[in-house]
Amino acid sequence: MKVVVIGASGTVGKSVVEELGKRHEIVTVGAGSGQYRADFTDIAQVRAAFEQIGKVDAVVVAAGSLHFAPLAEFTPEQFYVGLNSKLMGQVNVALVAREYLNDGGSITLTSGIVAEQPIRNGASATMVNAAVEGFVRAAAIELPRGLRINAVSPTVLEESMDSYGPFFIGFEPVAGKRVALSYVRSVDGAQTGQVYRAW
Ligand SMILES: NC(=O)c1ccc[n+]([C@@H]2O[C@H](COP(=O)([O-])OP(=O)(O)OC[C@H]3O[C@@H](n4cnc5c(N)ncnc54)[C@H](OP(=O)(O)O)[C@@H]3O)[C@@H](O)[C@H]2O)c1
């Protein structure tokens, strides 16, 4: 299969590329890295990238920024960081991928454990991750041509503990290699509308 990975150079993305790359041709995309460049918050850039890439069999997104802060200090602008990036960036990709996927192809988005297990400073993260999962469940029943869409909800990765560890006290980190298997199940499997919990 030809598989586009958006966010391929990231902590999650690198593990996903390594696992999927064992069986599939990978096309890497990032805002400032990868074989093709697209800032996924701008749907025109996403469309331009797919125009160059052409037809594909699967699209994976392992990207999306979020702002973390105490609820008492959160500003609307800070909420829009996650809404514009992790939510609408991924929705943009799904909307465009629908047109470039071969029949029976798949879209795999990324949410996160805080969708279900809130943490301090995580109001935006919980909101956005839950919205990504809601989008996936709803889009799955409307996609044409046997197209599938799922989300992977990773817990904190072992590789990210230096940066995210203090936010995730008491959470068991998981190796990127294991998280990547959930993306593999979405791409190589047959389910749709699912949230694969990589915990
Ligand atoms: N790491 C964890 O422990 C963890 C746990 C749960 C969920 N997640 C979720 O997994 C996703 C990836 O996290 P990560 O830790 O792997 O992040 P990361 O290491 O910061 O990597 C982010 C990736 O996304 C790309 N990217 C960033 N902004 C982009 C944009 N506007 N348009 C297109 N691509 C963009 C980056 O490439 P460029 O720099 O080239 O743009 C990079 O490849 C996020 O949604 C995060 O919330 C991560």
Side-chain angles (χ1 to χ4, degrees), residues 130-151:
V132 170
E133 294 179 6
F135 172 75
V136 160
R137 277 192 285 270
I141 65 169
E142 284 199 54
L143 284 175
R145 302 187 287 109
L147 300 180
R148 302 183 296 108
I149 183 166
N150 298 300

Side-chain angles (χ1 to χ4, degrees), residues 177-194:
K177 190 176 167 56
R178 203 183 126 210
V179 169
L181 293 177
S182 293
Y183 291 85
V184 170
R185 283 165 64 199
S186 176
V187 169
D188 287 84
Q191 290 186 292
T192 190
Q194 298 299 305

Side-chain angles (χ1 to χ4, degrees), residues 76-117:
E77 290 73 23
Q78 289 168 340
F79 274 105
Y80 274 107
V81 172
L83 290 171
N84 289 333
S85 176
K86 188 161 182 177
L87 179 58
M88 282 313 299
Q90 297 200 91
V91 170
N92 286 339
V93 172
L95 294 176
V96 174
R98 191 183 44 170
E99 298 165 31
Y100 288 88
L101 280 165
N102 293 319
D103 291 358
S106 70
I107 300 162
T108 306
L109 306 185
T110 299
S111 61
I113 191 170
V114 296
E116 297 178 58
Q117 304 284 333

Side-chain angles (χ1 to χ4, degrees), residues 6-13 30-33 38-41 62-64 66 86 110-112 154-157 160 164:
I6 298 173
S9 68
T11 310
V12 175
S33 63
D39 177 347
F40 72 168
T41 64
L66 292 165
K86 188 161 182 177
T110 299
S111 61
T155 187
V156 63
L157 268 64
S160 299
Y164 299 150

Side-chain angles (χ1 to χ4, degrees), residues 23-37:
R23 284 173 307 283
H24 304 300
E25 177 195 349
I26 308 296
V27 178
T28 59
V29 180
S33 63
Q35 295 161 275
Y36 296 88
R37 305 288 159 92

